[in-house]
Amino acid sequence: MTNHTPTPRSQDPEDIQKRNFIKGVTAAILGFLSLALTWPLVSFLVPSSTEGGEGKFVKVPNFPAIPTGKPTKMTFEDVDKQAFITSNVVYDIWVIKHGADKATVYSPLCPHLNCRYTFYGEKQQFACPCHGSIFNEDGKVLGGPAPRPLDTLPYKIEAGELYVQWKLYKAGVPEKAEA
């Protein structure tokens, strides 16, 4: 059997400073790596400031230029951020301007199965091509399988400009409920 005696550590102040320096550098590198590897998980779990809450209103361009009393299809663009993925999303809406400070804003999706409907000016009604639902300009169901009137979107008008909050509603149910 071999008798092993540990080599005594040097008590030289210069060696102690080298050891402490190496310990500090190692701790800093491990700390940086830990932070770099856990940051994506933490940022995914913590909701961004735009998620939840009341929601944001997005400006719809060219609102002052649309004619009063006529349903007009309009589009606006928003930035959608989910975790690390940021994308531009284009939404379309139907707007009936009643005055400089009053309007009706409809979601473009039919409440039956979320197909996109259109407005037929000669008949003065909205019609869904998927299953034949028909709505008047007030959004009321005139015919077809739609279980409720057209869904309106929250909006506000500030300084003559229209701001809309996009919402998606459940399809095929009689009450208006967010999806």
Side-chain angles (χ1 to χ4, degrees):
M1 217 185 233
T2 315
N3 190 2
H4 241 353
T5 56
T7 309
R9 286 187 130 163
S10 170
Q11 297 301 321
D12 184 17
E14 188 176 311
D15 287 341
I16 293 173
Q17 284 180 338
K18 286 179 186 177
R19 267 188 254 133
N20 288 340
F21 175 75
I22 292 172
K23 285 181 190 177
V25 168
T26 304
I29 290 171
L30 289 175
F32 175 75
L33 288 175
S34 297
L35 181 65
L37 294 175
T38 58
W39 181 256
L41 175 66
V42 171
S43 66
F44 177 74
L45 294 176
V46 176
S48 70
S49 61
T50 59
E51 291 179 18
E54 187 179 310
K56 66 178 180 176
F57 286 86
V58 180
K59 182 180 176 183
V60 179
N62 301 325
F63 176 70
I66 69 169
T68 303
K70 180 183 176 196
T72 306
K73 190 172 187 177
M74 302 186 79
T75 60
F76 65 94
E77 190 172 331
D78 192 17
V79 176
D80 183 35
K81 184 175 181 184
Q82 296 181 4
F84 292 104
I85 301 171
T86 302
S87 58
N88 289 340
V89 181
V90 177
Y91 296 105
D92 57 325
I93 54 175
W94 284 95
V95 179
I96 301 175
K97 183 178 180 181
H98 302 291
D101 61 345
K102 186 155 174 51
T104 303
V105 180
Y106 292 118
S107 168
L109 305 175
C110 178
H112 176 231
L113 290 177
N114 281 347
C115 293
R116 294 188 180 275
Y117 59 84
T118 192
F119 181 75
Y120 293 99
E122 64 279 354
K123 295 182 180 180
Q124 296 297 307
Q125 61 190 15
F126 294 100
C128 180
C130 294
H131 300 101
S133 292
I134 300 170
F135 309 88
N136 66 10
E137 287 186 23
D138 294 330
K140 292 181 182 151
V141 180
L142 298 177
R148 65 176 184 269
L150 293 176
D151 296 321
T152 56
L153 296 173
Y155 77 94
K156 61 183 178 179
I157 298 175
E158 293 178 351
E161 295 293 340
L162 176 67
Y163 295 85
V164 174
Q165 183 181 19
W166 176 258
K167 291 186 181 224
L168 181 62
Y169 297 102
K170 289 182 182 177
V173 294
E175 68 282 343
K176 181 177 167 181
E178 283 190 53

